[in-house]
Amino acid sequence: MFPGAVFQKEKQYSKGMNNSLHKQSAIPEWNLESLYPSLNSPVYEQACRDYSTCMDALDTLLAAVPEDNFADWLVQYQLQYNKTAALGESLSAYAYILYSTDTTNKQYLDNLSKMEAWDLRIIQQKQQLCKALAAHKDQLEPFYTKLAAFTPQAERYRFVLAQLLTRTEHQLSAQEENLAADLQRTGGNAWGRLQEQIISSLADKASGKTFNELRNDAYSADPQIRRQSYEAEISLLKENRIALAAALNNLKGETITLNKRRNWPQAIDRSLYASRMSSRSLQALLQAVRDSLPLWRQYLKTKAAVLKQHGATAQKTSSAGIAFYDLFAPLPDIQQAGKTTKDSLTNKIWQFDEARHYIIQEYASFSQEMGDFASRAFSSGWIDARIRPGKVGGAYCQDFPVQQESRILSNFTGTFSDIITLAHELGHAYHHFCIKDMDYALRSYPMTLAETASTFAETIVKQDAMRRSSGMDKARLLELDLQDVCQVLVDILCRFTFEQQVFDERKKGELTADDFCRFMLEAQEQTYGDGLNDVRHEYMWAVKSHYYSTSLDFYNFPYAFGQLFAAGLYARYQQEGSSFARTYTALLTDTGSMSCEDLCRKAGFDITTPDFWQSGIELYAKEAEELSQIVTA
Ligand SMILES: [Zn+2]
């Protein structure tokens, strides 16, 4: 009913620890037979006709909202909606996954466009429903009793309807919303596209590298390449600073104007609403991250010292902090005779079959149900891991609510990070498995909770891998994890701090590139602090597309929420052992029909104080301590 915000995983650059592609036996493609046999199959054609009929039925209902007996009408609407939306999601998921393994196939592309046309209708229907709800909000009570005749989950609709009603409180008149949407296409959205176009057209004349290639060099083992590419990146951004600053200044200006009209006093209020969390929980989360800053600064200094000691940095200053361009540097190989084996977890090339066994075993170590689930996903052909021409890069998980199945796409080369990717995406599928029996309207979760199951599954595998490894192998695993989490906590806090200042200052007047650079350096000082030396990145505001979104402000703290939430759950699992599995699946089941606070209270913990968040941070404090011991031994 209420669309969960789309949560995009940060673009992951390739950082496999071993990139050689050895001969792999039997890397699978998926089997789609049990979804729809093909676009031309009678089953699929019938499903499209059904969907069209269902959409017409919703339109008919919306055209005749009664003055009296609104509750009866709403029951009918809701049941029809649940059926329609589940079918719509399965059809568009099918359209996308077909396209994603054959991106130039014309039939697949046409089918995708057809789905997009349907999406417009869904948006219009939602607006009409909100209007009807607002006009009859004093007649909602009988709805829950009447709905209970059809579903045992009727009481849970209170939350969903309350969310929709809050949304209507922040909507302008239909005419004004239409005008705003029209103007936004040439306003905020166009400014956002300008940033995208500038960034994607940038190229370094000297090396011929694209902007993305330059950024990808941050993971290079060659210190000179890291520094040169960083310098080229900064100079390209500098040349375009006026246009980029205009885009950000105008886009944020528009957001402030619209937020004011829509009755959001602060931009953060709209983000908290979409995240289904309270300001108090956000403050507790941010406080826990701020309290952990000394830990992260120390980790960065340790890394800087190791790089320096082994001649693995191009940085010459005597400052203890790390250079911005060394943040993602791989650890140099520190010889520790007898401690590193050739067949280590991180160095070996995994066969797909080994990956399958390992993940099933790890999932089963948490609970039999999760192990069985992973086993079924592999044996039923839910995974497409083979690299081939025309297939998209990266990885994703797509759910099919009608069939109650999922499909996972990845590009498997046999590195350890490919194993982590599979564990991550299967975690998303397990989330869907837990929530699949809820009514459709109770299944969409906010971006704060969207990465819980995936990050939790990743954590189980990573922690086990760390326990099994030693020496340099272990150091690499620890460093990779800390590197990621440092971004998700420290850099995210930096982005939050920056964006807060942008909103505060933009309210007072126009902002220029100089202002944005100054705010960014101030934010880096407040967060990374002396963890960085004087080589910083004052143009990060021009790089991150998240700042240039008109629909989502503060597209940053949900990442920190997701990371620490999963780590906090893992800490509880460590304390409680196998009995925690039941709490965990119940929590996943509730993610679509509760606020974050209620969800956690029900599971027995409180996210409105820093303690819970702190328990997640302790996991990383231990990792940083261990890393420091290995590299300074
Ligand atoms: Zn994910």
Side-chain angles (χ1 to χ4, degrees):
M1 198 167 207
F2 178 71
V6 180
F7 188 75
Q8 294 172 345
K9 186 93 176 140
E10 285 260 73
K11 188 176 161 64
Q12 292 285 325
Y13 293 97
S14 62
K15 47 179 174 173
M17 283 169 278
N18 196 331
N19 289 319
S20 59
L21 229 178
H22 281 221
K23 250 206 150 44
Q24 282 277 355
S25 58
I27 300 179
E29 293 180 20
W30 51 34
N31 182 345
L32 305 182
E33 198 68 26
S34 58
L35 302 172
Y36 304 103
S38 76
L39 284 186
N40 305 318
S41 63
V43 182
Y44 179 77
E45 284 168 359
Q46 184 58 46
C48 287
R49 280 194 296 275
D50 288 348
Y51 185 53
S52 195
T53 314
C54 283
M55 293 288 274
D56 291 345
L58 286 178
D59 277 340
T60 308
L61 281 165
L62 286 166
V65 181
E67 270 320 304
D68 303 317
N69 300 328
F70 180 73
D72 286 310
W73 178 90
L74 189 57
V75 169
Q76 245 186 315
Y77 186 88
Q78 193 58 66
L79 297 173
Q80 183 63 41
Y81 170 83
N82 284 348
K83 193 172 128 193
T84 312
L87 186 52
E89 191 181 328
S90 275
L91 287 173
S92 59
Y94 185 64
Y96 180 71
I97 73 165
L98 282 180
Y99 155 82
S100 71
T101 52
D102 191 0
T103 50
T104 54
N105 184 310
K106 182 154 182 333
Q107 195 192 6
Y108 294 170
L109 280 165
D110 289 345
N111 192 48
L112 261 187
S113 315
K114 187 168 95 183
M115 297 297 149
E116 278 163 15
W118 276 341
D119 287 349
L120 274 180
R121 254 178 107 180
I122 297 173
I123 294 171
Q124 283 164 354
Q125 288 175 344
K126 191 155 290 160
Q127 280 170 352
Q128 284 174 273
L129 173 71
C130 282
K131 220 175 118 190
L133 281 175
H136 300 86
K137 61 180 169 205
D138 48 351
Q139 296 180 44
L140 291 183
E141 207 44 48
F143 163 74
Y144 306 106
T145 340
K146 288 172 192 274
L147 187 67
F150 300 91
T151 166
Q153 297 155 9
E155 276 302 307
R156 290 179 181 253
Y157 283 74
R158 286 182 190 277
F159 174 76
V160 177
L161 293 191
Q163 280 283 104
L164 281 172
L165 280 171
T166 308
R167 186 176 149 132
T168 62
E169 285 163 21
H170 297 281
Q171 249 170 3
L172 305 172
S173 71
Q175 235 176 354
E176 286 170 313
E177 284 295 345
N178 267 338
L179 180 61
D182 255 357
L183 288 177
Q184 199 153 49
R185 288 191 293 141
T186 47
N189 292 346
W191 289 115
R193 267 197 312 280
L194 176 65
Q195 185 264 354
E196 244 170 48
Q197 286 161 350
I198 292 175
I199 293 294
S200 61
S201 69
L202 293 181
D204 177 35
K205 284 196 190 79
S207 64
K209 287 179 180 171
T210 65
F211 193 75
N212 273 342
E213 284 168 334
L214 290 175
R215 296 216 21 101
N216 207 11
D217 280 345
Y219 297 97
S220 168
D222 183 334
Q224 296 302 336
I225 290 181
R226 291 199 302 271
R227 195 186 72 182
Q228 282 161 9
S229 290
Y230 158 87
E231 284 167 357
E233 175 187 332
I234 296 281
S235 101
L236 286 171
L237 294 169
K238 216 176 215 166
E239 283 167 25
N240 290 277
R241 70 201 299 265
I242 293 180
L244 288 163
L248 189 55
N249 174 63
N250 292 330
L251 191 145
K252 291 304 191 203
E254 181 190 279
T255 300
I256 290 169
T257 305
L258 283 173
N259 278 349
K260 198 167 154 195
R261 296 284 203 109
R262 288 180 178 142
N263 195 22
W264 296 111
Q266 305 285 336
I268 190 70
D269 299 330
R270 186 171 68 134
S271 305
L272 287 169
Y273 162 74
S275 303
R276 300 184 190 165
M277 71 187 280
S278 70
S279 166
R280 196 162 163 228
S281 302
L282 175 65
Q283 293 314 322
L285 166 68
L286 294 175
Q287 192 51 50
V289 178
R290 279 191 199 105
D291 291 346
S292 76
L293 287 174
L295 156 79
W296 297 106
R297 291 173 184 169
Q298 187 49 50
Y299 149 72
L300 292 171
K301 287 179 202 166
T302 305
K303 180 166 177 176
V306 174
L307 293 177
K308 224 174 270 177
Q309 194 187 343
H310 296 271
T313 175
Q315 177 61 34
K316 299 280 187 286
T317 70
S318 57
S319 152
I322 199 165
F324 198 93
Y325 51 70
D326 283 341
L327 280 172
F328 304 102
L331 276 191
D333 239 324
I334 305 163
Q335 287 311 316
Q336 291 195 328
K339 284 195 180 168
T340 309
T341 58
K342 264 210 172 121
D343 202 28
S344 66
L345 287 175
T346 56
N347 258 352
K348 75 172 197 174
I349 294 293
W350 292 66
Q351 295 294 312
F352 190 82
D353 238 15
E354 282 180 288
R356 177 168 67 93
H357 282 300
Y358 184 58
I359 291 172
I360 293 172
Q361 168 200 315
E362 290 303 304
Y363 269 48
S365 75
F366 176 71
S367 76
Q368 194 52 47
E369 185 187 75
M370 212 161 122
D372 291 346
F373 173 79
S375 180
R376 177 172 162 227
F378 279 102
S379 64
S380 312
W382 287 13
I383 297 166
D384 193 300
R386 198 168 70 80
I387 299 173
R388 55 193 183 276
K391 178 173 166 179
V392 296
Y396 70 75
C397 172
Q398 188 79 60
D399 302 325
F400 292 81
V402 174
Q403 295 81 358
Q404 304 207 326
E405 294 183 7
S406 299
R407 289 296 181 277
I408 286 155
L409 177 140
S410 81
N411 286 276
F412 189 83
T413 63
T415 65
F416 187 71
S417 60
D418 291 343
I419 314 282
I420 296 294
T421 300
L422 272 178
H424 177 103
E425 300 304 336
L426 265 169
H428 281 302
Y430 183 65
H431 195 167
H432 180 246
F433 172 78
C434 292
I435 213 169
K436 69 180 169 25
D437 294 323
M438 301 297 284
D439 295 352
Y440 188 84
L442 308 174
R443 276 190 227 168
S444 85
Y445 34 80
M447 54 184 171
T448 23
L449 299 170
E451 295 294 328
T452 305
S454 53
T455 313
F456 186 79
E458 243 188 69
T459 308
I460 292 175
V461 177
K462 280 182 182 166
Q463 292 298 317
D464 173 78
M466 285 173 201
R467 274 191 294 272
R468 283 163 187 261
S469 55
S470 61
M472 207 42 222
D473 197 27
K474 185 167 199 172
R476 272 198 219 98
L477 284 170
L478 288 165
E479 210 289 309
L480 274 183
D481 201 33
L482 289 166
Q483 190 187 103
D484 282 348
V485 181
C486 180
Q487 283 299 296
V488 177
L489 300 184
V490 183
D491 202 71
I492 287 293
L493 182 62
C494 176
R495 294 185 218 178
F496 182 89
T497 309
F498 169 79
E499 194 161 352
Q500 185 66 63
Q501 187 161 14
V502 169
F503 275 116
D504 290 347
E505 297 297 323
R506 182 63 185 85
K507 271 186 193 160
K508 300 177 198 158
E510 304 285 322
L511 298 174
T512 63
D514 281 343
D515 294 320
F516 292 131
C517 286
R518 182 162 43 88
F519 299 161
M520 184 51 77
L521 286 178
E522 284 169 13
Q524 285 173 1
E525 180 56 32
Q526 285 172 40
T527 50
Y528 288 96
D530 66 355
L532 283 175
N533 64 25
D534 53 1
V535 184
R536 301 193 174 188
H537 198 317
E538 58 182 336
Y539 284 97
M540 278 310 287
W541 57 269
V543 179
K544 290 286 172 198
S545 57
H546 292 154
Y547 299 124
Y548 297 80
S549 161
T550 51
S551 53
L552 292 162
D553 313 313
F554 293 99
Y555 199 164
N556 36 50
F557 70 84
Y559 287 102
F561 185 108
Q563 185 74 42
L564 282 187
F565 189 62
L569 293 180
Y570 187 81
R572 270 201 60 184
Y573 163 50
Q574 293 300 93
Q575 273 171 18
E576 294 175 22
S578 58
S579 66
F580 177 68
R582 211 194 283 222
T583 311
Y584 178 66
T585 48
L587 182 136
L588 291 181
T589 310
D590 288 340
T591 45
S593 52
M594 285 184 190
S595 71
C596 294
E597 287 78 19
D598 288 345
L599 177 80
C600 296
R601 206 169 298 128
K602 192 177 159 199
F605 53 92
D606 179 10
I607 56 167
T608 64
T609 64
D611 297 3
F612 170 74
W613 303 109
Q614 181 58 35
S615 71
I617 284 169
E618 268 154 29
L619 185 71
Y620 304 112
K622 241 185 279 164
E623 286 183 14
E625 175 64 34
E626 265 190 281
L627 176 66
S628 163
Q629 274 172 11
I630 299 175
V631 296
T632 55

